[in-house]
Amino acid sequence: MLSSPRLLLALASVAVAFAAADTYVVVLVLPEMSGSVGISPEELQRSAPIVSGFLLGYVAMLPLIGRIADLRGRVPVLVAALVLFAIGSLITTFAYDMTSMVGGRFLQGVGGGGLVPATLALVADLYPAHRRGVPLGVVSAVQEIGSVLGPLFGAVVMALADDWRVIFAVNLLVGVVLALAVRAAARGARSTADGPAFTDSPRARFDWPGLGLALVLLLSAGLVFTLPPPLLRDLTWGQLFIPVVGSGRWLTPVGLVAIAALVLLVARCLTARRPLVDLRGWARSAREADLVGALYLSVALGGVVLAFATADPRIEVFSDQGLWYLLGAALAAGAFVWHVRRAADPIVPRGALRAVPAWGAVVVSFFVGAALIAALIDIPLFARSTVHRDSQLLAALVLVRFLVALPVGAVLGGFLTRRVSAGVVTAAGMGLAAVGFGWMSTWEADALEHLSANVPLVLTGLGFGLALAPVNAAVLASTAQAVHGVASALVVVARMVGMLVGISALTTLGLRAYYAEHGDLPTVREVCEGASRCPAYSDLLREAGVAQEQTVFLGAAGCAVVAAVLALALFRGAATRALPPSDLLRSAG
């Protein structure tokens, strides 16, 4: 029996933080990961799928998972998402080519993304509307903190172990432990709000044959992935790694055993009365959640993700194939709208977001993401190009000042949402973020050497923290409990898409400022008196880079102002506040 909802939410929050960290954990180790699958540093652009694969799984599958959480229960989805995250981490740890690495990252994204809407909806199940602010603030804070701590986590592991695979081995261990802990914490528990949080019940009989097949699959697939040298060199055991026909690891005897074990395990899970994994139940939930509509929506979101995530923001808004990705996304979006109007039970039920604060939260979340990405990416970039040119780690640590303020603001924002309108709290937070970004837009190359630079960093972190909880509280208070999962998913999707579009658009504006500044520079031979390079010319280029970052910060301030104005206008009807005693007596009478 669950003694307190706080335990379950704490476990879910830790899971959300680890999943969010994986979004950017590859930033520092991407060259090493690419080199392990045969991509040289000169071809690093070919490793973009390692990043975009995770984002694709994280964003594109969120609405479907959120809807399944509404139908099947929050805790079962949390456990399943953690299992997927662990499996993806396992595959990534032992990946031997680009296909297996991207596949592992995709599964990590699907599992990590699924944790967010299930956790936010769980808060709504466990707390009444006027008490959700603080727990929503905590969940939102750990999600954003995880995104920023990802690169730091990767740097620490590389400093201690000097092997990128250890990062994902840690994720595997954490995923398994959290899945078991969440399951144990939820066993026998019941939602205090009569919600669908705890739908599945523990099974009376364990599927030992299914477990045996799973172990055979893990062992044989592990041998295929790792190709242990001692076994390869052995005259007898080495025969197991020689392809039976053709070529390829999976056509060897051990590879065929893995394939057979997978087929038998799937058959077992589809036919057994109490299978190891209830594939029939999950398939039924997917159909009930509108799998066709989810496919249309996933393609639409995937096109947007690929258009922006595969681009090099230093030279382009979206990739060379970006227009085709966006065209495909537009066609899929049109098909989705047509499907929703015709389907009996669409993935986003008709009228689910009819209330102004509900769809308003999606719009506001987009602009919050567009502004937030400037803090996560461009503050470390500014530090790296000015005072910390020789240390990427020290440049990333500049964000600690932002990080310290963000959770404080998130908890404070959640508390204020109980007494003040969600629109006012969101607007105040984004207003503070706009002031902070505006201040940063005046930074010169030596700005971070002065203590006064801490003020805008703290203001910005505090502002974003204040805005996170009321946005989620507004959508949950304005939608029915039966759609809390998919509604929360759409808010998260909007923020992620806003981050992708925002970094491309803001970087493009910054590059225009850079080239405008760079175009007025004298030639290198004029400055360096005939030499090909000199410190004086490097300083001029650095000044042009500062102008670029100043423009990005100014654009982020504009996005924050738009988010603040929209929140004031759209969150008016969100019933997120606790009624004062006089109103409670009046309503009781």
Side-chain angles (χ1 to χ4, degrees):
M1 180 68 68
L2 184 66
S3 59
S4 170
R6 295 178 182 175
L7 173 60
L8 186 57
L9 284 177
L11 292 171
S13 297
V14 172
V16 168
F18 258 88
D22 251 43
T23 307
Y24 301 102
V25 74
V26 299
V27 169
L28 293 181
V29 297
L30 193 58
E32 289 80 3
M33 293 179 68
S34 304
S36 68
V37 294
I39 297 177
S40 65
E42 293 76 17
E43 303 174 304
L44 198 57
Q45 70 277 3
R46 289 177 52 202
S47 62
I50 298 175
V51 177
S52 58
F54 181 91
L55 291 174
L56 187 63
Y58 194 98
V59 175
M61 301 303 293
L62 264 179
L64 176 62
I65 297 174
R67 186 62 182 143
I68 292 176
D70 290 329
L71 298 173
R72 191 176 181 91
R74 322 301 188 198
V75 169
V77 168
L78 282 172
V79 174
L82 283 165
V83 170
L84 278 178
F85 181 77
I87 292 174
S89 299
L90 177 64
I91 294 174
T92 305
T93 301
F94 295 105
Y96 60 87
D97 61 5
M98 181 60 80
T99 301
S100 58
M101 186 171 289
V102 174
R105 291 288 290 162
F106 177 81
L107 286 177
Q108 279 187 299
V110 173
L115 293 169
V116 182
T119 301
L120 293 174
L122 182 62
V123 172
D125 288 343
L126 296 175
Y127 295 92
H130 65 277
R131 292 183 55 210
R132 294 172 187 161
V134 173
L136 285 176
V138 171
V139 173
S140 300
V142 298
Q143 182 186 7
E144 303 307 333
I145 290 173
S147 299
V148 181
L149 289 180
L152 300 180
F153 169 58
V156 170
V157 172
M158 289 298 291
L160 296 176
D162 197 26
D163 188 347
W164 65 267
R165 298 180 188 274
V166 176
I167 296 172
F168 299 99
V170 171
N171 286 339
L172 167 63
L173 177 63
V174 171
V176 171
V177 171
L178 284 175
L180 295 174
V182 168
R183 188 65 176 171
R187 186 175 292 119
R190 292 294 181 269
S191 169
T192 59
D194 259 349
F198 311 97
T199 299
D200 282 0
S201 57
R203 302 187 181 280
R205 195 177 302 170
F206 189 76
D207 183 17
W208 293 106
L211 177 61
L213 289 171
L215 292 176
V216 172
L217 173 61
L218 285 174
L219 177 61
S220 54
L223 292 173
V224 172
F225 271 82
T226 58
L227 296 180
L231 294 181
L232 288 177
R233 291 192 295 265
D234 189 89
L235 293 178
T236 301
W237 293 104
Q239 301 295 319
L240 297 176
F241 299 91
I242 299 176
V244 177
V245 292
S247 60
R249 300 186 181 203
W250 297 98
L251 296 178
T252 62
V254 69
L256 294 175
V257 169
I259 294 173
L262 176 61
V263 171
L264 291 174
L265 178 61
V266 171
R268 170 75 185 179
C269 291
L270 289 174
T271 57
R273 292 182 58 189
R274 295 182 175 87
L276 183 68
V277 180
D278 186 15
L279 290 182
R280 286 175 298 180
W282 287 107
R284 183 169 58 251
S285 297
R287 289 194 301 269
E288 293 174 356
D290 183 20
L291 194 57
V292 174
L295 178 62
Y296 288 139
L297 189 53
S298 296
V299 172
L301 293 172
V304 174
V305 170
L306 292 175
F308 291 96
T310 58
D312 184 348
R314 295 172 296 179
I315 59 176
E316 56 191 356
V317 178
F318 40 78
S319 63
D320 294 336
Q321 301 82 23
L323 287 176
W324 293 107
Y325 287 138
L326 292 179
L327 177 60
L331 293 175
F336 174 73
V337 172
W338 174 81
H339 173 80
V340 167
R341 292 183 175 181
R342 294 174 59 91
D345 297 302
I347 184 173
V348 182
R350 284 180 288 273
L353 300 179
R354 181 180 292 118
V356 174
W359 60 262
V362 176
V363 177
V364 171
S365 185
F366 175 88
F367 285 98
V368 170
L372 178 61
I373 194 66
L376 302 183
I377 301 296
D378 284 273
I379 290 175
L381 283 179
F382 182 91
R384 184 69 187 273
S385 64
T386 55
V387 299
H388 296 305
R389 293 189 292 272
D390 300 325
S391 175
Q392 188 166 354
L393 179 58
L394 290 177
L397 287 174
V398 172
L399 271 176
V400 168
R401 307 154 202 183
F402 174 90
L403 281 174
V404 169
L406 192 147
V408 174
V411 176
L412 179 60
F415 177 78
L416 291 176
T417 304
R418 300 180 59 180
R419 302 297 179 188
V420 184
S421 164
V424 171
V425 179
T426 304
M430 296 315 295
L432 282 178
V435 171
F437 279 128
W439 191 329
M440 293 179 206
S441 70
T442 66
W443 277 354
E444 299 297 337
D446 62 345
L448 292 176
E449 296 178 0
H450 305 290
L451 290 176
S452 59
N454 293 327
V455 179
L457 290 170
V458 171
L459 280 178
T460 308
L462 187 65
F464 278 111
L466 283 172
L468 293 175
V471 172
N472 289 321
V475 72
L476 291 172
S478 307
T479 53
Q481 188 179 41
V483 296
H484 278 165
V486 69
S488 299
L490 292 175
V491 171
V492 176
V493 165
R495 185 162 66 248
M496 294 293 293
V497 172
M499 293 172 73
L500 289 170
V501 176
I503 190 58
S504 295
L506 293 175
T507 302
T508 300
L509 292 174
L511 284 174
R512 289 183 180 179
Y514 176 84
Y515 289 124
E517 189 83 12
H518 192 276
D520 295 333
L521 294 179
T523 65
V524 62
R525 294 193 177 274
E526 292 173 345
V527 177
C528 301
E529 299 179 353
S532 60
R533 199 76 171 180
C534 65
Y537 191 74
S538 297
D539 290 339
L540 290 175
L541 291 180
R542 191 173 301 114
E543 291 176 4
V546 168
Q548 174 184 349
E549 297 301 337
Q550 289 174 340
T551 303
V552 170
F553 292 142
L554 193 59
C559 291
V561 169
V562 172
V565 173
L566 289 174
L568 280 176
L570 300 177
F571 288 176
R572 291 180 180 177
T576 57
R577 290 179 292 174
L579 290 174
S582 58
D583 289 350
L584 287 173
L585 291 174
R586 192 178 302 114
S587 62

